[in-house]
Amino acid sequence: MKVSLFATCITDMFYPNAGKAAVNLLRRFGVEVDFPQGQTCCGQPAYNSGYIEEAKQAAKQMIRAFEHSEYIIGLSGSCSGMLKKHYVELFKEDPEWYLKAVELSKKVYEFSQFFVDVLGITDVGAELDATVTLHISCHTRRVLGVIDQPEKMLTAVKGLKFVPLPNAEDCCGFGGTFSVKNPEISEEIVQEKTEHVEETGAEILVGTDMACLMNIGGRLRHNGKPLPIMHIAEILERGLEQK
């Protein structure tokens, strides 16, 4: 099986270890991974801000970059959701690119979704003595339909204590441009999220989207209560290393 990694801008520029961990885990289970060099920003910031033509240009570049991929594994729910849902909406009046967008959308999976739903793997053989909680981003839940796949993978880790996050479905307040345009509202939302994280007593905050983890982790540090943040691929790889 061959997959293409869609790292996203945040992972590529700020959290490359999440991308490396994802590649290592995929290869561990016999999956061939490539990284199309033509990939760029998915266009979501422009799309959310109403710059539709600019978003289309980014979308066309991404469609070209992943045109020959069998599967596309994304490390962000919002960015993967852009490829899977919003590209189709962008090109609904353009027959040529609409068909290409539809074909692309069929290939897109979030990391844990691919492992559980496609590979049929929940237990990667990891072992880790740690207490963790999990934040699944809004777009991962609502656009990609990822509900319990990450939790299934975490609870399969031997020795790991998983504590559900209260009001787990609530937004973290980031939303990319939302946090810039509505900082006061964003701040209140992330403050509530961090309070729920603290309630769990977790040692590590795990997530499916590094942008959300960056926002929550930043607020925790601001509050003087820093907590390690890790993409689910990273914590699974750590569990394999310490086994």
Side-chain angles (χ1 to χ4, degrees), residues 3-240:
V3 308
S4 297
L5 183 71
F6 170 36
T8 78
C9 300
I10 292 288
T11 299
D12 189 37
M13 293 188 286
F14 296 104
Y15 301 103
N17 286 338
K20 293 177 183 177
V23 171
N24 290 339
L25 279 163
L26 287 163
R27 287 177 174 168
R28 183 183 182 90
F29 288 92
V31 179
E32 184 179 332
V33 186
D34 67 15
F35 186 84
Q37 293 297 309
Q39 64 182 283
T40 183
C41 173
C42 66
Q44 185 177 187
Y47 180 75
N48 289 346
S49 298
Y51 295 99
I52 302 303
E53 291 306 313
E54 289 80 357
K56 284 182 178 180
Q57 293 306 307
K60 287 179 179 179
Q61 178 59 29
M62 289 292 284
I63 290 172
R64 294 188 195 100
F66 289 99
E67 184 177 6
H68 302 294
S69 301
E70 294 180 18
Y71 293 93
I72 302 166
I73 310 305
L75 301 184
S76 160
S78 59
C79 298
S80 298
M82 185 70 187
L83 270 64
K84 192 169 188 68
K85 180 180 179 181
H86 298 305
Y87 280 9
V88 176
E89 296 171 352
L90 269 177
F91 295 112
K92 61 185 178 182
E93 304 298 334
D94 185 330
E96 177 187 356
W97 285 97
Y98 174 80
L99 291 176
K100 292 180 179 181
V102 169
E103 287 303 308
L104 183 83
S105 72
K106 297 175 182 177
K107 306 174 184 179
V108 180
Y109 291 85
E110 181 270 333
F111 173 82
S112 68
Q113 183 183 39
F114 180 76
F115 260 86
V116 176
D117 297 347
V118 179
L119 297 181
I121 296 171
T122 55
D123 187 352
V124 299
E127 184 175 337
L128 188 66
D129 181 16
T131 301
V132 309
T133 193
L134 171 70
H135 172 70
I136 302 177
S137 71
C138 299
H139 285 82
T140 305
R141 288 180 183 274
R142 298 164 191 166
V143 178
L144 298 181
V146 175
I147 304 298
D148 58 1
Q149 294 93 325
E151 183 176 336
K152 286 181 178 179
M153 297 192 76
L154 289 174
T155 54
V157 176
K158 186 178 179 181
L160 182 142
K161 180 181 179 182
F162 174 76
V163 183
L165 182 64
N167 292 14
E169 69 280 359
D170 287 357
C171 178
C172 76
F174 182 58
T177 54
F178 173 81
S179 63
V180 176
K181 295 180 177 180
N182 303 278
E184 295 85 2
I185 300 173
S186 174
E187 183 177 337
E188 291 300 319
I189 295 174
V190 73
Q191 177 59 33
E192 183 175 338
K193 176 63 72 172
T194 57
E195 290 171 1
H196 290 315
V197 171
E198 292 167 21
E199 283 179 41
T200 67
E203 301 168 281
I204 302 170
L205 172 61
V206 180
T208 58
D209 191 319
M210 292 311 302
C212 295
L213 291 181
M214 178 174 67
N215 190 44
I216 301 168
R219 187 64 186 183
L220 286 164
R221 289 194 303 274
H222 176 81
N223 292 343
K225 300 176 181 179
L227 195 70
I229 58 171
M230 300 182 74
H231 188 274
I232 187 170
E234 290 181 282
I235 198 161
L236 293 173
E237 184 183 45
R238 176 180 288 188
L240 288 166

